[in-house]
Amino acid sequence: MSAVYNTMPLEIFYFIFAHLNYWKYAKKHRKMNIEQILASKVNEAVKKHYEVEPENIEFQPTRKDFEGDITLVVFPMLKQLRTSPAQLAEKIGKYLEDEVEEVASFNVIQGFLNIVISDQYYINFFNDVKDREDFGILLPQSDASGIMVEYSSPNTNKPLHLGHIRNNLLGYSVSEILKAAGNEVYKVQVINDRGIHICKSMVAWQKFGNEETPQSTGLKGDKLVGNYYVKFDQEYKKEIAQLKEEGKSEEEAKAQAPIFVEAQEMLRKWEANDLEVVKLWSTMNQWVYDGFEKTYDALGVDFDKNYYESETYILGKDNIQKGLEDGVFYKKDDGSVWIDLSDEGLDEKIVLRSDGTAVYMTQDIGTAIQRFADFDINQMVYTVGNEQEYHFKVLFLILKKLGYDWADALYHLSYGMVDLPSGKMKSREGTVVDADDLIREMAETAKNISEELGKLDGYSETEKEELYRIIGLGALKYYILKVDPKKRILFNPEESVDFQGNTGPFIQYTYARIQSILRKAEFDTSAELSKEFSFHEKEKELIKQVQLFPETIALAAENHSPALIANYTYELVKSFNSFYQNVQILGIDDEAEKVFRVQLSGLVANVIKSGFKLLGIEVPERM
């Protein structure tokens, strides 16, 4: 399921959770929450009265105009049980009231069972978690699943751009979420460091570069090499135009353009291991790797292992031969090897050319098998744009036909493109939004807006610059990650840095506000809530929202969706701001109430920080 929304009200969250039979996400080292307890007891109640197990148990928050905390929707069970909704709700409600100590009372309205949860349940929950900075986060268990997440996977002929940023942010965040759900996670990338596109940059540098280097120009290596990829395209177009003027067709001109012929010849020399070409290839690729590392560091992402296409492209041929012997593949008259997937609703797919050379599918087959040999994993996630959806359907099906059981646990984290108000990006024409430039521009935008708001009195210049970086990156990451990965994004930098609404800076500002409260609370805040404590409705609403955090992590991990974490955090912040506006925290006279509200504020801050950490976003102590 991937029904993710740009914003997620609590009602929608409960609705999604109910339809996923959410109690199945309880881990053996995580206590069952109240919804899971109720689901289990509803199951018992139906079995007792009707001698069957219900197929559907659905909860939602109780409407604010009715008494209750959680509502059981009984209608989905009626077809199976053949009784009236009111009668069914009364029987289940009475059973819950008798058997579940956390249930204080219930009422039935038009077939909806509204359940009132005792304050004691929330008091116990709060006392248990109030000092836990790791609330909701699971450490990997000894039998934890090993999951590999592949992301980034750039070409070494150009710098990272806005599209790569979405890829990196998704892959990194999904890795962190899977880890927080109790899994052992390995982050990898495969760097596309070979092929004609690499040779294009090399040829252009040889012809026009005058031996310049990153050191001599002061440019990042990936930027320098990318400039020559653009230069190649410019010269290539000139030569095509010249050949067409001489009477060549478009197709002939493209194939015969001298600079393109040189690039093809360079590729042949590389494949033949020509020492001079390989040396240039190694030098220019290293420039790019050094540049990538600076961008990754600025973006806050990392990897456990890099794979290189120059090494992986030789993988897979043995697997094709074995598949031929087993009848998975077949050979055509020209010697090429294919697989017929028409029975599965797909098409025929080539896996080996007639000259015996590999295609991308061959490499991906071999690389997948190699990774399962390299790491103790049983799942793998590919973070790749949605234009490759068919490719991965074919890849996963081939691996399954080759007899690999883990093929069923392969997942394509497909995502939509990132567009700009000015239109689509094109690498060859040099119209991409460079990742480094965008990161700098986001910090500059944060600076401009912060200065307009006048919120930085008393900050040193160093503190200001660090804050601009945190706010700018937080705005960028949140703007991208709050959206369902499958959706296309129109990226608007200024909109992302708004300090109001569903934005990273708005959430960061709330966190900083809470830190200010905690700094001013110069008294002992260690006392536990007493059993006689009575909640203000805003306090209870906030605790209920906090309580959803562990299950949000589980659901986000199951759906590979950082959007669930992002929008949960936004809902938590909205709930806190409603609490903040309706009750006094430090100004209240009652000591127990004051201590509790400071503790509750601190717990909310911990959850905000944890949620944002899963998104790769930092939170400032002051704003």
Side-chain angles (χ1 to χ4, degrees):
M1 176 175 180
S2 61
V4 183
Y5 298 84
N6 288 356
T7 58
M8 179 175 287
L10 193 59
E11 291 81 4
I12 295 176
F13 181 90
Y14 271 114
F15 180 80
I16 293 174
F17 224 82
H19 281 75
L20 284 169
N21 296 321
Y22 54 84
W23 56 90
K24 76 179 181 179
Y25 292 110
K27 306 274 186 173
K28 59 185 177 182
H29 294 285
R30 177 187 284 150
K31 293 181 180 179
M32 291 183 75
N33 69 17
I34 189 61
E35 292 88 357
Q36 295 160 345
I37 293 169
L38 291 175
S40 174
K41 291 300 181 180
V42 168
N43 190 63
E44 289 180 12
V46 173
K47 284 177 67 176
K48 175 184 176 182
H49 290 292
Y50 299 95
E51 298 182 343
V52 296
E53 290 193 10
E55 295 175 357
N56 297 296
I57 299 177
E58 296 184 10
F59 292 107
Q60 63 185 30
T62 302
R63 285 173 51 181
K64 291 184 179 180
D65 46 341
F66 296 130
E67 182 186 16
D69 298 298
I70 300 171
T71 294
L72 175 69
V73 184
V74 300
F75 296 101
M77 293 186 268
L78 295 181
K79 284 186 180 180
Q80 184 184 8
L81 304 179
R82 295 182 181 179
T83 184
S84 72
Q87 185 178 44
L88 175 59
E90 284 287 344
K91 287 182 177 180
I92 294 175
K94 187 67 173 67
Y95 187 87
L96 295 178
E97 190 176 49
D98 293 341
E99 298 294 326
V100 183
E101 62 179 350
E102 292 87 354
V103 174
S105 62
F106 73 94
N107 61 84
V108 178
I109 298 178
Q110 296 180 345
F112 289 88
L113 173 59
N114 301 319
I115 303 164
V116 179
I117 305 300
S118 69
D119 278 359
Q120 190 57 51
Y121 169 78
Y122 292 107
I123 289 170
N124 292 341
F125 165 77
F126 181 78
N127 284 333
D128 184 48
V129 305
K130 66 182 179 67
D131 298 319
R132 286 179 51 193
E133 292 187 3
D134 64 344
F135 168 64
I137 308 296
L138 290 180
L139 295 175
Q141 307 302 316
S142 57
D143 60 346
S145 298
I147 304 176
M148 178 175 286
V149 181
E150 175 194 297
Y151 59 96
S152 195
S153 301
N155 295 333
T156 57
N157 63 324
K158 54 192 174 185
L160 303 178
H161 56 62
L162 178 55
H164 290 116
I165 285 181
R166 187 176 198 189
N167 183 298
N168 275 268
L169 297 185
L170 277 173
Y172 178 84
S173 182
V174 165
S175 299
E176 295 302 305
I177 291 167
L178 289 168
K179 196 183 301 181
N183 301 291
E184 193 72 50
V185 177
Y186 305 97
K187 295 176 278 190
V188 304
Q189 63 173 330
V190 55
I191 298 175
N192 302 307
D193 63 340
R194 63 174 287 274
I196 190 68
H197 52 290
I198 309 298
C199 292
K200 288 178 180 179
S201 294
M202 292 165 61
V203 165
W205 182 86
Q206 276 189 330
K207 294 175 74 68
F208 310 108
N210 297 316
E211 302 295 322
E212 66 178 16
T213 67
Q215 291 73 28
S216 69
T217 61
L219 287 174
K220 281 174 78 254
D222 53 336
K223 184 68 173 174
L224 177 66
V225 173
N227 288 344
Y228 285 103
Y229 184 62
V230 173
K231 180 65 173 175
F232 178 94
D233 190 62
Q234 292 169 345
E235 296 300 318
Y236 185 37
K237 286 179 177 176
K238 289 179 185 176
E239 293 182 357
I240 291 172
Q242 180 63 39
L243 289 170
K244 287 172 70 176
E245 285 182 10
E246 295 172 5
K248 302 288 186 183
S249 68
E250 176 87 17
E251 188 175 335
E252 288 173 333
K254 286 182 176 180
Q256 296 174 22
I259 197 169
F260 180 70
V261 173
E262 286 183 65
Q264 287 183 311
E265 178 61 23
M266 182 171 281
L267 179 59
R268 281 192 287 270
K269 287 183 177 180
W270 181 88
E271 290 175 344
N273 207 29
D274 180 276
L275 292 180
E276 186 177 337
V277 170
V278 169
K279 182 179 179 182
L280 177 60
W281 170 81
S282 299
T283 298
M284 293 183 69
N285 273 347
Q286 191 59 55
W287 293 346
V288 176
Y289 302 150
D290 293 342
F292 284 168
E293 282 305 310
K294 291 178 182 178
T295 307
Y296 291 145
D297 185 59
L299 203 54
V301 303
D302 59 2
F303 302 91
D304 297 304
K305 181 178 175 61
N306 293 334
Y307 287 87
Y308 298 91
E309 191 183 322
S310 57
E311 298 169 356
T312 63
Y313 87 104
I314 60 175
L315 300 175
K317 290 186 180 181
D318 291 344
N319 306 106
I320 302 302
Q321 183 57 43
K322 178 71 166 53
L324 267 174
E325 296 169 3
D326 294 342
V328 175
F329 306 117
Y330 68 93
K331 187 174 287 190
K332 289 191 174 181
D333 293 340
D334 65 355
S336 59
V337 179
W338 296 69
I339 186 169
D340 186 357
L341 300 174
S342 55
D343 288 346
E344 285 80 8
L346 300 176
D347 207 341
E348 290 184 305
K349 183 70 179 179
I350 187 171
V351 293
L352 210 61
R353 296 188 184 95
S354 58
D355 61 1
T357 57
V359 294
Y360 274 113
M361 186 62 69
T362 322
Q363 299 172 41
D364 284 349
I365 292 167
T367 304
I369 295 167
Q370 185 63 48
R371 286 171 173 175
F372 276 84
D374 290 345
F375 290 88
D376 183 17
I377 58 174
N378 52 26
Q379 297 180 54
M380 188 154 61
V381 177
Y382 293 86
T383 311
V384 182
N386 55 17
E387 70 276 5
Q388 294 295 324
E389 284 181 356
Y390 184 82
H391 175 86
F392 283 103
K393 285 179 183 178
V394 173
L395 173 63
F396 299 167
L397 190 52
I398 289 176
L399 288 165
K400 187 173 183 179
K401 287 180 175 291
L402 288 172
Y404 295 100
D405 295 336
W406 42 256
D408 287 328
L410 300 177
Y411 181 80
H412 176 203
L413 176 53
S414 174
Y415 63 90
M417 291 182 64
V418 183
D419 295 316
L420 298 161
S422 58
K424 190 175 179 180
M425 299 182 294
K426 297 180 181 179
S427 298
R428 287 190 303 274
E429 297 176 11
T431 60
V432 300
V433 176
D434 182 88
D436 301 307
D437 292 343
L438 180 59
I439 291 169
R440 282 191 295 271
E441 287 170 14
M442 292 302 297
E444 189 65 26
T445 302
K447 176 181 179 179
N448 295 337
I449 293 176
S450 297
E451 288 178 344
E452 286 176 15
L453 295 173
K455 294 179 178 293
L456 300 179
D457 293 341
Y459 283 67
S460 69
E461 285 304 312
T462 301
E463 288 172 331
K464 287 179 181 179
E465 291 302 321
E466 177 64 3
L467 187 58
Y468 301 148
R469 182 191 67 82
I470 291 173
I471 295 172
L473 267 178
L476 170 65
K477 293 181 178 183
Y478 188 83
Y479 194 92
I480 288 175
L481 292 175
K482 73 177 181 179
V483 179
D484 175 359
K486 290 182 172 58
K487 290 184 178 179
R488 202 163 179 145
I489 295 176
L490 180 65
F491 182 71
N492 185 324
E494 289 194 3
E495 185 179 293
S496 72
V497 189
D498 195 337
F499 280 78
Q500 297 295 324
N502 190 6
T503 68
F506 172 70
I507 295 170
Q508 289 173 320
Y509 183 72
T510 300
Y511 176 85
R513 168 184 280 169
I514 295 173
Q515 296 310 303
S516 177
I517 293 169
L518 299 180
R519 284 192 295 271
K520 293 174 183 175
E522 297 177 342
F523 49 86
D524 184 4
T525 59
S526 62
E528 288 197 341
L529 275 182
S530 69
K531 294 182 179 179
E532 294 76 30
F533 191 87
S534 180
F535 291 108
H536 185 285
E537 63 172 333
K538 293 298 180 181
E539 296 168 341
K540 194 171 182 180
E541 285 175 13
L542 191 50
I543 290 176
K544 287 160 68 175
Q545 186 69 25
V546 166
Q547 194 182 34
L548 291 172
F549 187 49
E551 284 67 44
T552 306
I553 293 173
L555 187 60
E558 183 75 9
N559 286 275
H560 306 90
S561 179
L564 289 170
I565 299 293
N567 290 294
Y568 163 82
T569 309
Y570 175 58
E571 290 299 317
L572 176 64
V573 163
K574 285 204 302 183
S575 185
F576 175 82
N577 285 329
S578 179
F579 158 79
Y580 180 81
Q581 291 159 10
N582 283 276
V583 304
Q584 288 188 313
I585 299 178
L586 298 177
I588 193 170
D589 293 330
D590 185 283
E591 195 67 24
E593 188 76 59
K594 180 163 61 175
V595 168
F596 164 65
R597 288 178 180 175
V598 170
Q599 291 174 339
L600 180 56
S601 298
L603 176 59
V604 169
N606 283 341
V607 175
I608 292 172
K609 187 174 185 177
S610 293
F612 261 31
K613 185 178 180 182
L614 297 180
L615 303 177
I617 302 175
E618 298 174 71
V619 284
E621 296 299 307
R622 295 192 299 153
M623 268 179 81

